[in-house]
Amino acid sequence: MPIDNTRRKFIKATGVGILGGLAGCTRGGDGSSGGGSTGDGSGNGSTGGSSDDLAIPLSKYDADIDWKQFDGDQINIGAVQHPWVDAIKPAIPVFEELTGIDVQWNILPEQQFRTKRQTDVSTGAGQFDVFFMDQVVNQFRDEGWLQPLDPYFDDGSLYDEGWYKPDDLFEASRWQAHGGGYSDNWTGLPITVEVQTQFYRKDLYDKHGLEVAETWAQHRENAKVIHENESDIVGTAGRGQKGYGMNIYILNTLLRQKGTKLWTEFPTDSGLDTQGVIEAADWYSKLLQDYGPEGASTQTWSDVQATMAEGNTGHIVADANMFWGGLTNDESNVADTVRIAKVPKPEGGELNPNAFNWQISTSKNASNSEQAFLFMLWATSQPTDLWMHTESSGVFSVRQSVWENEDYRSKVGEDYAQISLESLQVAAPDPFDRKYPEWGQRYSEELQRTIAGQKSAEEAMTQAAKVAEDIYSG
């Protein structure tokens, strides 16, 4: 059936950027949009509070840790405008009362923050004692800018393993906090996790007699049926925009499920020109070309979410926290009919969704890294994390116990909680090597050209492989 250009232009025009402030999926590379709710950005500390009106009782922090050893000190936190900040800020008086450490916030839009963070560590200024860390973790580690946390974990006055329960953190989150397998040391502590799932409109599935797709082949067939039988709805939508947190974040799941991976042999063979990667790029590009909105190659994660929330597509693959943050709220047109399911897998393949973790780290030039470690430990501990997700606005816990907590499951719904939990337990995040931001960006640009129909998948991925390998050999 020929593409209905009028329909696709309408959906593209109304879908762009409307939900750009929702969810936490604000990962990097050129072309990513800012995300999350904004903080005050003033740099002012929290208002404090007496022990009688604290959000979390201090008794929850009865650990073999000398919480008061830095009483009277101050830490500066560099953060992006992100829902995690909104969720934890009401509890900051708990940390200040517990430790006597004053907390100062420096909250910036994402790209502005990245620039300031880079300047802070590369010049040795050390302004930020704690800062958000993402895909550049191994670049920063390789440059010697990050302070490994292992000495602090070994310090009995700073850490109590029995109380902190590190094994409660998802394996994928611990793995990324160790440089995605490139470091034996803790590079920071994880604060949020996003895992890929599938969202679909139950009303359209019921109308057309469709079953929830368990495989990618079924996913495409469902998109075809909806696209060809609905006059004002496209079959699917997906990230097409360049950026190492955009289109390749989805593609990397597909290529792994096809039995291949990034870096067949690091750092000499990227694997990007293997048959599995080429097939995955071709499949994803044709899915969006055939059944996606016009301009699919420029859609960011927020555009995809907006298209779904406005009821203009039958299903999408996106991060689970979008379900709670943007598809089931009062502003969503599909709140009553949208459903969540596990990401599709290949015929006979294994569930292997991608996942992304924000973490908080400290630098070797920070004046108060030990104080920063206490904050990181407190912020990611079970008591704080549970409160953020049951009493505050968090929906992105890195702790398995939170996803199993009945109060949290009641808040977000059994389907969201169970599907997210099972997906997180088998997630396989991208390994961010030290030059990933550089070659990943170029890889994403080649994929964007394929989605736009400017290059074949084979031509694009062959060029992407050459670029990645040249970056390491140059």
Side-chain angles (χ1 to χ4, degrees), residues 58 83 201 296 416 437 450 454:
L58 293 183
R201 283 186 51 180
Y416 171 72
T450 303
Q454 298 168 357

Side-chain angles (χ1 to χ4, degrees), residues 164-178:
Y164 184 71
K165 297 179 174 60
D167 289 343
D168 185 37
L169 300 170
F170 285 109
E171 182 180 356
S173 299
R174 298 196 308 272
W175 185 77
Q176 284 204 327
H178 283 78

Side-chain angles (χ1 to χ4, degrees), residues 15-50:
V16 176
I18 292 175
L19 297 180
L22 295 174
C25 306
T26 53
R27 291 174 301 277
D30 295 339
S32 66
S33 58
S37 305
T38 60
D40 57 28
S42 64
N44 293 328
S46 59
T47 57
S50 70

